[in-house]
Structure formats: structure tokens, C-alpha cells
Amino acid sequence: MLPWHARPLGDVLAELGTDPRRGLDEPEAARRLAVVGPNALAARQRSGALGLLLEQFRDVVVWVLVGAALVSGVLLGEWVEAGVIAAIVVLNAVLGFVQGARAEEALEALRRTTAPEATVRRNGHERRVPARDVVPGDMVLLGAGDRVPADVRLVDARHLRAAEAALTGESVPAAKQVDAVEEHAVLGDRHSMVFTGTTVVAGRGAGVVVATAGDTAVGGIARLMEEQEEEPTPLQRELASVGRRLALLAAGVAGLVFALGAARGYPSDEMFLTAVALGVAAIPEGLPAVVTITLARGTRRMAREHALVRRLAAVETLGATTVICTDKTGTLTRNEMGVQRVLTAAGDEEVAELDGEMRDAYARVASLCSDAHTGDEGEAGDPIEIALLRSVESAGVDPAVVRGRYRRVDELAFDATRKRMATLDEGDGALRMSVKGAPEVMAPRCHAILTTEGVVPLDDGGRRRLLDQAEELAAGGLRTLALAERVVEGATSRVLEDLEDGLVWIALVGLRDEPRDESPASVAEAKAAGVRVLMVTGDHPATASAIARDVGIADHGRVMAGRELQRLSEHELSEVAEQYPVFARVDPADKVKIVDAWKARGEVVAMTGDGVNDAPALRAADIGVAMGTGTDVGKDAADMVLADDNFASIVAAIREGRRIYLNLQKIVSFLLSANAAEVLLILAVLLIFGDAGAPLLATQILWINLVTDGLPVLALATDPAPPGIMSQPPRRTRSLLGAREQLRMLGRGAILAAGAFAALLYAHVVRDLPWEHVRTLVFTTLVGVQLGYVFVIRHEGHGWDEGRLPPNRWLAIAVAFSVALQVAVVATPVGHDLFDTRSLDALDWIVAAVVSALVPQSIRFLQRRDDAAGLVP
Ligand code: ATP
């Protein structure tokens, strides 16, 4: 039997039982789906529960702890201590596991909402269905920018070209057609088919699905379908490297302390325990898990704001965005168009008043050069085309009747670079070419104009007058479009592009597209937040400038037109970029240049795009933003997809990104200060009271890091955004852990340690209590100052005006719970056994409480002074 690409079309359709005009019926599609299974390649092997659990034990830190537990137990006979360390390690692994699973879940949910879809014909109607529900025999409709959902034998192809590089390595898109090709043709030469995982870059087509899932040509090359591995975000990478450095440092310091102690003749088992405690103190065990869960939770909150984040790193980058390049149509405006003005040679008229040949010609071009539908079944298609059809109806003509008289022979789909669309239709005994597009590209192609006296020639002066009219319409914020046509007689050339000259100008149309209600406020919010908003549009400069004024992007629009932009080098552009808030009549390729120019100035750039040619710009941007209604190609290249196409959602995502980053900043800063406090405390005590022993046990440190600090830190991640978060400029540093930050954390650590040290002085020097008792008080005081410090660090980064940050209920609950746990550890026999603690007396509790209240306050005081002196940004 011949392969699909070589068989006559009739055989293919018969074999698959498909009527191309009707497609499959729903019940039949459902039946086939049940038989062949979903159209999806086996997803990347997910780690699974066990894998995820084992992953928790891949961390070196865990093995350091396991080693410590073993040594404590086997060598030193400290079985309780060994057991507690082991239990805490397991607890940590379980926590990491739960959080990892939740992060994975959040990402999976996002993946589902951005899952690929396909347009199929079922029961004679076009429908969007999830790509995984496509079955053999389905009629699939394809347009520029679509991802091909299955292997398809083409039934109809209009200038259809597909990018197949991923499959064949061929970088030039392949032209497709419907005729069977030679049986032994290689994949790249099977022009009668399109394949799963490739994309349509131009034209339009339809075809019947011959293979899905594992049966497709890429079946083996799963790489194509596989989602990208989630890479660590910059912050996660930074934390990993800090973690490694701290582990090394810890090992070094611990080794040194152990060696020094041994040299001085201290008992080696005790020195060993101290060294282990130091090592444990230096490593922020819970940090990576908290960061991951915070980012993942962020994606869920952003999804609620209609911003679907496709990469975790985008959550982080969003908060640092300094420039948004946004398109106009549909993003700042509603994309609900209406024809407002129609200018013909007879004057400026209401469409309804057009008559005679003028009306017929208008109705013809608007109906034929269009893929939209209006009518009883609702409307579908490009908003511009829908508006044109509606205007035809209001002139008393039914577009369906016009279309009924013609048969479309060929077409050149609208393309943002060509800025026009053309169709070739046969009917009334003639072949007609209908073209519509941007007035500037249409005027040079028109040699005549339709008037009430018939067709009259058009000279340069006439063309200029038409463009002046277009300019005038555009200045009022209208989108402009010119309609033209010609009769093709005995055309020698069948190449459509060659026929696009010698047209007869029929009308100039002005379409209204109101700004969205929320656009001005969102633009203002972005500006107040120090984020520059630029409009980058394919539309006319005057239209762009009028809308830019309406939404507040620019009052006195300096507009750079695409043509000007193309003359500048990237360097020249970055020099002058600041003066131009609006870029109009740009081609998709120009967008890359704009992104690069702004990036060269050190800015963090978000760029929107929805078309088939926008992918490079989306990739080049720090945050590529695709539209929910945009092309598959755009979505694939983007970091974020706007479910509602709305500019306001970008600003909302930036606000959320800032909140998340601010909270991460608090968390990282808190945990590292806390760890610094523990290390400094142990070192200070060793230096000053050398023979007394460590002021904290390894188990106690683990308890602090993972339990009493762990819960409040998770709650910190839920801190609400301070009201002023969008009135501050974007953060300019890309690093949370710069030298200055590290120094500050060390300083904070020293102050926290000093608090615990004061408690030690009171218990050891003043009262000369037994060391276990001293240690218990130091342990409790350290927990206390750290819990107090949580409330101080909350206010960090927003001016210390407590009245303004709403309270955080979760934090209050978490801290209360941690206090209760600590009391249990100190005041119950079980706690005594596990953590080698002693009961504290009233005076001890008072000391712990007073220190816990005062020390964080002193940090707050110092911070206020720094703020006042402008030391901290
Ligand atoms: P934005 O980039 O802000 O979304 P846009 O949608 O106006 O802007 P394009 O879609 O590139 O930009 O359109 C550019 C020009 O092409 C329009 O100003 C219009 O004159 C013309 N045009 C748009 N849509 C069509 C269409 N379906 N058929 C013919 N011409 C069109």
C-alpha cells in the first residue's frame, strides 16, 4: 500500500472515512479517540512521588547531617541526639517533598491552561479543540502561526508554507500543495503533507489527519513535543552557589574549631559535637524549598490576574521590569471595531448612503477580501473584517449573497509585514482581484479611482490627496484601511503578487477601536512605578499617536515610524530611544531591534506580540508576552501569556512580581541573618568561654532553622504588597545577595547573636548556672529574638511605616505556634530528653522575653536611622 503522501487524495479520504466539507461527526471522533488514544506523546518521565522524595536526599547538606547523626550515635553513643538529627532530616525531606510536589502541581496546572489547541471541522462546523483530542480522519484547518497538531495530508493549500527545521533541519520554510508526491520522497520533500510539531509560517490550508501521537513522523523524536525542562531561576542559581560556598565555609570553620580544640586538649567528642553544630548553623537548610514554593505560588496568583507564566524565572524578572513595549490593537484597545467613516471619490459618506456601482464595489471588496463571518450563527474572524461585513449589511447588502456569486480561486492572507490582503475570485464571467490594506501600501498600487462617473485615472497628486485624507482620519484615532480591486483579464501571470498592481481605488475606511477602560489607569500605574511604557504598533503613526495620547503613553507624541527605525543602527537607536514613546508602522522584525536597543541601555524589557513573526522579538525580550488569542508560535516563544490580551494584566503581573520578590528578599535576608547569628554566637562563646562548651547543640540549631523559623518564613511569603509598592522605581540590582546585602545580614546576625549572648552572660556569669541550663536559656532566647525579628523584617523595603502594611494573619498564627512549640521543648520531659534542655525559672523567662522584645527593636531603630540618612535605597 502506498504511503499517505503518495496516495491520490480521494483514496486517502475514503480510507479515513472523511468528508472534507463536513469533517467527522462528534460521536465518531469520540469513538476514534477511545480506540487510538489521545494525541500526545508520552510526556517527559515525571519524577513521580518516590523520585521526588529521593531527590530530597541528593542534597549534600542532607548527607552532612546524616553523617553527623551516625557519628553522634555510633562513635559517641549519643543515640538520642542521633535520633533527633535523623528525625529532623526526615522531616525536612518530607517538607521539601510536599513543597516540591505543590510547586510541580502549580506548574502542571499552568501547563494545562496553556495546552495547545487545534481548529478542526466537525459536524460541518469549525471548532477549537485541545490538540490531544484530535483523531485520525479529523479535518484540521491551518493558518499562519499555527502549530500543526498531527500529521496531516493536505486537502487544500493556499500559499501554505511550514517551518520544518526541527524535523528536517531545513531552515527555509517548505511550500506545500495538495497533489500526491513520489512514494520514496524523503520527509522534507513530502509537500502534500504537514507534520506534527512543525509550524505554519504563511498561507492557509486544510487537511485530513492521517496519524496522531506515536504514529506521527516525530513519534520517535519526542524532543519536539517535550516541554522545556524548567531551568533554575537566577535567584535559585544564586542561592545554590551561596549554599555551596556556605557549606564549604562551614566545613572549614568546623574543621578548624575541632583541630584547635583538640590541640588545646579539650575532650574530642564534645569538640566534635560543637563542630557539627557550627556546620549545621552555617547552612540555611530550608531556604531552597521556601524559594521554590514562593515562586510557584506566585505563578498561581498571577494566573488569577490573567497572566499565565510559562517559566518560573519570569516571576522573578517581572518585578524588575523597567520598560514595557506594548502593541496597541487589542492590548490597549478593545479590538471591537466599527466602521466610522467611509471616504470615496464622491465624498465622506455614511456607508448606508453609498449607492450604485460605488456601493456594489465596496460590498464586493469587503465581502470577498475577507475570511470573517457574520450572520445568524454569530460572528467569527478578524475584528476589522467583521466590522467591514457589518458595514456592508448596513448598506443593505448581504455579504453571503455577494460571496455566493463568486468562487475563491486564490488568496494572499494578511501579513503584518505586507500590511495587506488580496483574494482572487471568479464569478460573473470574470476573474476579480480584491485587495485591502494600509493606505500607504495601497496608494502606489492604484492607477485609477472609482467615481460616480466611473473609473478615472489617478495621478501622483491624487494619490497624495488620498493619503492626506488617510492621515486626517488617523489623527482622529481611527484605524485606516483602503479597499481596491481590479478585473484580471487574460492574466499571463498567475503569480498573485504580480497582479497586485493597476488597482482601482474604491474607498478609504476609518475604523474606530476604543481604548479599553482600564488602559489609562494601568499606564499611569506603570509610569508611577517607574516603568516606561512604549507603544509598538503596526498601525498608522497618526492613529498610534492619537491612541497613545488617549491612554496617557505620550502627550505630545514623538512617533518614530518603521521606515525611520530601519535607517538607524541599533546603537543609534539606543541613543535616541528615550525620545520616542511611540513606534508606528513597524514590521515584526523591527521589534527585535527595539528590544535590543533598550536592553543595551541596561533596561529589563517586556515586549508583547501575537503574530507569527513576533517570536524572535518575544525571545529577545527579558519578558516575552504573548496573547491568549495570538498564534501558537507566539505563545511557544513567550515567557508569559495574557489570557485576556489586556495591557492591564501586564501591570498587574508586575505588581505581583514585585510583591513576590520583596517577600523573597525578606525571607532570604531573614534566614541568612539567623544563620549568621548562630555561627557568630558559637564562635564568640568558644573564643571567650573556651572550655565551657558550645552554647547550642546541633539538634537545637536544626530545630530553630527548620521548625521555629521555618513556619514563620513560609508565612512571610504570603505577606501582602505594601500599598506603596507601585510608587517606587523598579529594583535595579539583579542580585539579592550583593556584597552590601551580605554585610548587612552579617551585621543583623551579630545583633541577634548579641541578644542571645547577653542571656548567656546573665545565666553563666551572673548566676553561674549549670551549662545545660545556660544552653537552654540561650536556645530559647535565640528563638525569641529571631521570632521578634520576623516582624521587623516584614517592613523592610517600604519605608518602615508600619501603619501602611496590612497585618499578616498567617504570620501571627505561625509565630504563636512556634512559641508554643518552643515552650513545649523547654518545659516538658519529652523536650528535655530530645533536646537535652532544662526547665527555666521565672527570671529566665523574663530575661528571654525582654531580650526578644528589645533586640529586634534595636535593629528597627538602626534601620530607621539608615533610612533617614538615605543609606539604604
Ligand atoms: P498592533 O501591532 O498594535 O496590534 P495593528 O494590529 O494595527 O497594531 P497590524 O495588524 O500589523 O498592526 O496592521 C497594520 C495595518 O495593516 C493596519 O493599520 C491596517 O491598515 C492593515 N490591516 C490590518 N488588518 C488587516 C486585514 N485583516 N486585512 C488587510 N489589512 C489589514
Side-chain angles (χ1 to χ4, degrees):
M1 201 167 60
L2 283 174
W4 295 113
H5 59 264
R7 267 194 254 180
L9 200 50
D11 290 4
V12 173
L13 292 168
E15 163 108 18
L16 291 161
T18 304
D19 168 6
R21 271 173 313 242
R22 197 174 156 75
L24 296 178
D25 286 340
E26 288 292 351
E28 175 61 15
R31 200 188 58 76
R32 292 190 188 190
L33 186 62
V35 175
V36 299
N39 176 34
L41 293 183
R44 168 170 58 94
Q45 274 290 281
R46 291 218 186 296
S47 7
L50 188 67
L52 197 57
L53 193 63
L54 288 178
E55 220 166 86
Q56 310 302 319
F57 290 93
R58 280 222 308 252
D59 202 338
V60 213
V61 175
V62 170
W63 291 107
V64 172
L65 295 178
V66 169
L70 281 180
V71 175
S72 302
V74 179
L75 295 186
L76 308 177
E78 298 272 0
W79 284 108
V80 177
E81 167 137 349
V84 172
I85 295 181
I88 290 185
V89 168
V90 169
L91 187 72
N92 189 37
V94 169
L95 252 176
F97 166 73
V98 172
Q99 294 177 342
R102 282 181 54 182
E104 183 75 16
E105 234 175 71
L107 286 175
E108 184 59 40
L110 275 181
R111 266 185 224 120
R112 269 200 302 276
T113 44
T114 54
E117 294 189 330
T119 308
V120 294
R121 188 175 291 146
R122 298 235 178 112
N123 296 344
H125 296 296
E126 287 178 22
R127 280 195 47 198
R128 294 284 286 169
V129 297
R132 42 181 301 126
D133 292 350
V134 168
V135 294
D138 254 331
M139 278 298 295
V140 171
L141 308 175
L142 297 165
D146 288 348
R147 190 177 5 192
V148 179
D151 285 3
V152 171
R153 172 66 197 271
L154 292 165
V155 175
D156 183 20
R158 308 285 175 102
H159 303 272
L160 186 69
R161 292 196 300 148
E164 298 181 334
L167 201 57
T168 61
E170 173 57 58
S171 60
V172 181
K176 299 293 179 177
Q177 43 87 40
V178 295
D179 300 327
V181 296
E182 205 263 316
E183 180 183 353
H184 299 289
V186 295
L187 213 53
D189 291 336
R190 295 182 191 167
H191 301 308
S192 57
M193 291 192 58
V194 284
F195 302 98
T196 311
T198 62
T199 50
V200 177
V201 293
R204 216 149 57 96
V208 59
V209 172
V210 297
T212 58
D215 302 334
T216 61
V218 291
I221 322 171
R223 170 175 68 85
L224 269 179
M225 296 279 284
E226 208 174 275
E227 301 111 14
Q228 278 175 358
E229 267 296 331
E230 185 70 43
E231 283 187 13
T233 72
L235 178 59
Q236 287 175 326
R237 268 202 296 273
E238 210 181 350
L239 280 177
S241 101
V242 168
R244 273 193 302 275
R245 264 181 290 152
L246 281 178
L248 276 181
L249 189 76
V253 172
L256 193 70
V257 164
F258 183 69
L260 281 180
R264 278 207 188 175
Y266 296 150
S268 67
D269 52 348
E270 209 149 282
M271 275 327 289
F272 177 79
L273 288 179
T274 305
V276 168
L278 249 180
V280 169
I283 300 169
E285 294 85 0
L287 199 46
V290 177
V291 169
T292 310
I293 190 74
T294 306
L295 290 172
R297 264 225 302 256
T299 65
R300 259 187 294 172
R301 301 230 339 182
M302 287 183 179
R304 255 181 273 151
E305 309 263 15
H306 308 287
L308 311 176
V309 174
R310 297 183 67 244
R311 289 190 309 123
L312 225 44
V315 179
E316 248 175 76
T317 317
L318 266 169
T321 305
T322 59
V323 177
I324 309 174
C325 302
T326 173
D327 57 5
K328 172 180 70 68
T329 311
T331 316
L332 290 166
T333 67
R334 295 186 191 164
N335 210 8
E336 292 161 0
M337 263 167 269
V339 172
Q340 181 123 350
R341 309 262 301 271
V342 177
L343 270 64
T344 65
D348 183 355
E349 301 179 68
E350 292 285 318
V351 195
E353 288 160 13
L354 290 175
D355 58 7
E357 174 55 17
M358 206 69 102
R359 183 184 69 172
D360 292 347
Y362 179 85
R364 208 161 42 226
V365 177
S367 308
L368 297 180
C369 186
S370 166
D371 293 317
H373 291 275
T374 55
D376 303 339
E377 284 179 27
E379 45 195 44
D382 182 335
I384 284 195
E385 298 185 346
I386 293 175
L388 286 174
L389 293 184
R390 289 254 176 257
S391 72
V392 169
E393 286 164 5
S394 74
V397 180
D398 183 351
V401 172
V402 179
R403 287 174 176 173
R405 289 208 301 271
Y406 293 86
R407 187 178 65 84
R408 189 180 286 185
V409 181
D410 206 352
E411 67 189 47
L412 280 171
F414 171 72
D415 156 331
T417 307
R418 286 169 21 97
K419 298 195 166 44
R420 60 187 188 276
M421 163 175 178
T423 60
L424 196 61
D425 304 86
E426 194 175 20
D428 294 342
L431 203 53
R432 273 180 193 280
M433 171 125 195
S434 310
V435 189
K436 71 180 194 310
E440 313 93 278
V441 300
M442 297 289 286
R445 293 180 164 76
C446 292
H447 78 298
I449 180 167
L450 181 67
T451 69
T452 37
E453 273 84 51
V455 174
V456 304
L458 192 59
D459 58 10
D460 280 343
R463 279 190 210 91
R464 209 167 318 120
R465 274 192 298 282
L466 290 173
L467 290 182
D468 287 345
Q469 286 180 332
E471 183 86 30
E472 203 181 304
L473 288 187
L478 298 182
R479 309 194 69 193
T480 53
L481 204 66
L483 307 188
E485 67 169 1
R486 66 173 279 196
V487 174
V488 180
E489 283 160 79
T492 43
S493 159
R494 291 275 316 183
V495 179
L496 218 49
E497 278 99 337
D498 295 349
L499 296 174
E500 279 183 309
D501 273 321
L503 299 169
V504 177
W505 181 285
I506 293 167
L508 179 66
V509 183
L511 300 116
R512 174 177 29 87
D513 181 17
E514 296 289 333
R516 289 173 181 267
D517 293 339
E518 55 274 43
S519 294
S522 294
V523 170
E525 184 178 3
K527 281 184 161 180
V531 179
R532 194 183 286 269
V533 182
L534 309 177
M535 180 189 281
V536 179
T537 175
D539 219 338
H540 192 285
T543 317
S545 149
I547 301 285
R549 198 168 1 130
D550 283 354
V551 300
I553 286 182
D555 301 330
H556 48 286
R558 282 196 78 174
V559 180
M560 183 179 284
R563 227 173 321 141
E564 247 176 283
L565 180 85
Q566 282 147 19
R567 275 199 299 269
L568 297 179
S569 71
E570 190 194 308
H571 180 70
E572 286 165 334
L573 179 61
S574 79
E575 300 273 278
V576 299
E578 205 155 351
Q579 301 161 24
Y580 294 93
V582 178
F583 295 85
R585 281 287 187 250
V586 295
D587 293 344
D590 301 333
K591 291 187 174 182
V592 178
K593 204 161 158 185
I594 296 173
V595 167
D596 287 343
W598 279 99
K599 279 174 78 172
R601 296 171 59 104
E603 307 287 336
V604 178
V605 185
M607 167 67 90
T608 67
D610 48 11
V612 59
N613 300 323
D614 286 335
L618 295 182
R619 275 199 209 96
D622 294 293
I623 297 279
V625 184
M627 301 299 148
T629 56
T631 57
D632 297 340
V633 180
K635 289 182 207 169
D636 281 349
D639 301 296
M640 181 166 100
V641 178
L642 300 182
D644 60 354
D645 292 12
N646 192 340
F647 177 79
S649 303
I650 305 177
V651 180
I654 289 179
R655 192 188 317 118
E656 182 62 17
R658 285 189 175 191
R659 183 189 73 88
I660 293 167
Y661 200 82
L662 189 64
N663 289 348
L664 281 176
Q665 206 166 355
K666 296 175 193 174
I667 290 170
V668 170
S669 170
F670 173 78
L671 281 181
L672 292 183
S673 311
N675 282 39
E678 292 152 14
V679 173
L680 292 174
L681 180 68
I682 296 174
L683 286 179
V685 174
L686 275 180
L687 286 177
I688 299 171
F689 305 105
D691 44 1
L696 292 165
L697 293 176
T699 50
Q700 295 170 344
I701 295 169
L702 281 176
W703 172 256
I704 298 179
N705 288 359
L706 295 174
V707 183
T708 55
D709 281 358
L711 294 171
V713 158
L714 275 179
L716 261 190
T718 68
D719 241 4
I725 198 161
M726 289 300 265
S727 52
Q728 287 170 6
R731 67 171 202 267
R732 286 283 168 176
T733 49
R734 296 215 179 199
S735 160
L736 264 190
L737 296 161
R740 199 162 136 177
E741 262 306 301
Q742 292 186 13
L743 210 63
R744 202 145 71 109
M745 290 178 222
L746 203 64
R748 300 286 182 81
I751 297 176
L752 296 175
F757 194 77
L760 181 131
L761 287 182
Y762 147 80
H764 182 57
V765 179
V766 178
R767 288 183 58 190
D768 197 18
L769 296 166
W771 192 247
E772 284 78 15
H773 190 135
V774 173
R775 213 165 46 198
T776 306
L777 180 60
V778 170
F779 174 33
T780 305
T781 310
L782 194 62
V783 168
V785 291
Q786 294 190 356
L787 290 181
Y789 180 48
V790 169
F791 291 101
V792 171
I793 202 131
R794 258 195 96 204
H795 295 282
E796 195 127 304
H798 23 93
W800 296 79
D801 187 348
E802 285 115 78
R804 292 189 314 170
L805 185 65
N808 181 341
R809 189 161 41 99
W810 289 115
L811 188 64
I813 295 174
V815 168
F817 193 60
S818 291
V819 169
L821 282 176
Q822 182 63 22
V823 170
V825 160
V826 172
T828 64
V830 178
H832 292 173
D833 287 347
L834 293 180
F835 292 92
D836 203 7
T837 49
R838 300 288 178 272
S839 289
L840 298 178
D841 57 30
L843 200 54
D844 293 334
W845 283 113
I846 291 173
V847 168
V850 168
V851 171
S852 303
L854 287 184
V855 167
Q857 287 309 317
S858 68
I859 294 181
R860 177 174 295 191
F861 173 76
L862 290 175
Q863 174 68 31
R864 278 223 183 93
R865 231 189 33 185
D866 280 4
D867 274 355
L871 291 179
V872 177

